[in-house]
Structure formats: C-alpha cells, structure tokens
Amino acid sequence: MKIILATQNQGKLKEFQQLSKGMDFEFIAIPEELQEMPEETGKTFKENAFIKARYVSEYFQMPALADDSGLEVDALNGDPGVYSARYSSSGSDLDNCKKLLSNMRGIAKESRTARFKCCLLGFNQGETVVAEGALEGEIAEEFKGEKGFGYDPIFLVPEYKLHLAEMEKEDKNKISHRFKAFEVITDSLPSLIN
Ligand code: ITT
C-alpha cells in the first residue's frame, strides 16, 4: 500500500526512507503536479500536521502521512516551536541556526536545554491516526558536523557528547523525535488503510 509523505523537506524525506526500509508500506514523495502546500496556520505541531496530511490526501485521494516538527528551547519560552522552519527571514537552515545562536548568546550551559518534537499524522478518507515523539538535548555554542538538516549542527545530544549533525543517519534514526513518533504510528497505519 502506498502512502504519500506530505512533506517538501528533503531532509525529512531521506530520514523516512531510511526509517521505513523493509516495511510493508511504500512511502512516496508528493507527486509533482501539486504546486503548493497549504499555509501552516496551526498553533500546535498536531494542528499543522493535520492541515498538511488532509490536504495532500484529499488532493490525490490517497492515504497521506505528514510530519510537523520543530525545536523548543526552554530559555526562549519554547521558541522557535511551530515556527522552526520560518525562524529567520530567509528561512534557510543556516540562517535559522545563526539566529538561534545569536538569541542564546550569554545563556549558561545549564540553561540551554531544548528538545526536538515531532508529530506524525496519517489521514485517509476522513480517518486520522497520530503519534508524537521528542528528543531532549541542549543548544550548543557553535556549529559542528555536516550531516542531517535543520538545527542538527547546533543540537547537542548529551548522552553521546555529539551534535546531531555529527551522528551517522542510522544512529540519529535510533534516537530521534521522528523515529519515536514513527515507531508508534506504524502500528496504527494499517487501521487507516483497511
Ligand atoms: P514540510 O512542512 O514540508 O514537512 P518543513 O521544513 O516546513 O517541511 P516543518 O514545518 O515541520 O517542516 O518545520 C520543521 C523545522 O524544524 C525544519 O525545517 C527544521 O528546521 C526543524 N527540524 C525538524 N526536525 C528536525 C531534525 O530532525 N533535525 C533538525 N532540524 C529539524
């Protein structure tokens, strides 16, 4: 059974391809004829995941799975949160990271706690399934690593003493917020399709 991954983020897409290896489902990218995704007007990851999954599923009359995710930084009262992709004015990964480091300047290590959160939501013919996952860590003081995407170069995983962008994709995929949500939702995806 094919499920459309309702994302335009290549970094997420690569991680899903890795996560779903050997599974019964075939996750496919959004077909090219869809020119634009709807605006993400939700106040929560779940609301935005719903907007994306429903739109793509209804457009193609197929099951769709959306990922809405982001970084919550305690010292910034949970920012950038649902605005993680649009934090800087350009919205590029590099500018988003630079802006975050600049806003965190002068904040001591013990107060730099943060977490990635991911909400996955599957939609088909009016039915939804949903799962959430989180990864705890800290905002580092400098960039390290070339792997991954988004805020990975400035996100330190204390247990590994590594920034996420320094970890092999297989290792990130064993601990990530996306993996944790994915593990939960795979059990309920069949109920969406049958
Ligand atoms: P889609 O909506 O098309 O899926 P997007 O990048 O706009 O793509 P979101 O609205 O969910 O996705 O924003 C999530 C942002 O949070 C993403 O652009 C990254 O900046 C950040 N993010 C999420 N997961 C991440 C991860 O595993 N590593 C690093 N940054 C991540």
Side-chain angles (χ1 to χ4, degrees):
M1 172 49 87
K2 287 187 177 162
I3 301 177
I4 302 176
L5 273 178
T7 181
Q8 295 176 310
N9 180 317
Q10 295 304 309
K12 288 183 185 175
L13 206 57
K14 282 189 199 146
E15 289 190 9
F16 276 113
Q17 280 160 356
Q18 177 84 19
L19 284 170
S20 60
K21 268 187 190 161
M23 288 185 57
D24 294 341
F25 309 106
E26 189 188 343
F27 290 100
I28 60 167
I30 300 175
E32 268 173 22
E33 64 253 43
L34 184 65
Q35 305 281 325
E36 267 189 60
M37 285 290 279
E39 211 184 321
E40 295 181 29
T41 52
K43 290 192 172 57
T44 62
F45 296 118
K46 187 174 166 186
E47 283 172 14
N48 283 336
F50 180 77
I51 290 169
K52 293 186 274 193
R54 182 172 70 170
Y55 184 79
V56 170
S57 174
E58 289 183 343
Y59 190 96
F60 292 103
Q61 292 297 301
M62 274 181 68
L65 180 71
D67 167 320
D68 203 68
S69 45
L71 186 58
E72 288 182 355
V73 180
D74 293 325
L76 303 177
N77 298 317
D79 278 352
V82 290
Y83 302 105
S84 294
R86 303 161 267 169
Y87 193 43
S88 64
S89 45
S90 80
S92 75
D93 287 348
L94 181 64
D95 287 345
N96 288 344
C97 288
K98 281 185 178 166
K99 177 169 177 182
L100 185 57
L101 286 190
S102 143
N103 287 345
M104 295 288 287
R105 204 165 289 147
I107 296 177
K109 182 172 167 55
E110 61 274 17
S111 305
R112 300 178 74 93
T113 49
R115 69 209 49 79
F116 275 118
K117 281 199 174 163
C118 172
C119 177
L120 294 181
L121 189 139
F123 188 100
N124 191 31
Q125 297 180 336
E127 300 287 325
T128 60
V129 292
V130 66
E132 293 183 308
L135 172 64
E136 298 288 333
E138 288 167 23
I139 304 305
E141 295 198 0
E142 76 281 299
F143 285 74
K144 265 192 196 167
E146 305 283 321
K147 302 183 181 83
F149 68 97
Y151 297 89
D152 285 347
I154 60 166
F155 188 87
L156 172 73
V157 187
E159 292 91 323
Y160 291 78
K161 295 191 170 64
L162 289 174
H163 293 205
L164 266 183
E166 296 180 285
M167 295 178 71
E168 295 302 330
K169 61 180 184 308
E170 294 81 2
D171 294 331
K172 176 181 174 185
N173 270 346
K174 283 179 196 148
I175 60 166
S176 79
H177 47 309
R178 188 158 294 106
F179 161 73
K180 287 173 192 158
F182 191 73
E183 225 189 357
V184 175
I185 209 165
T186 43
D187 287 343
S188 45
L189 277 178
S191 71
L192 191 65
I193 289 159
N194 299 323

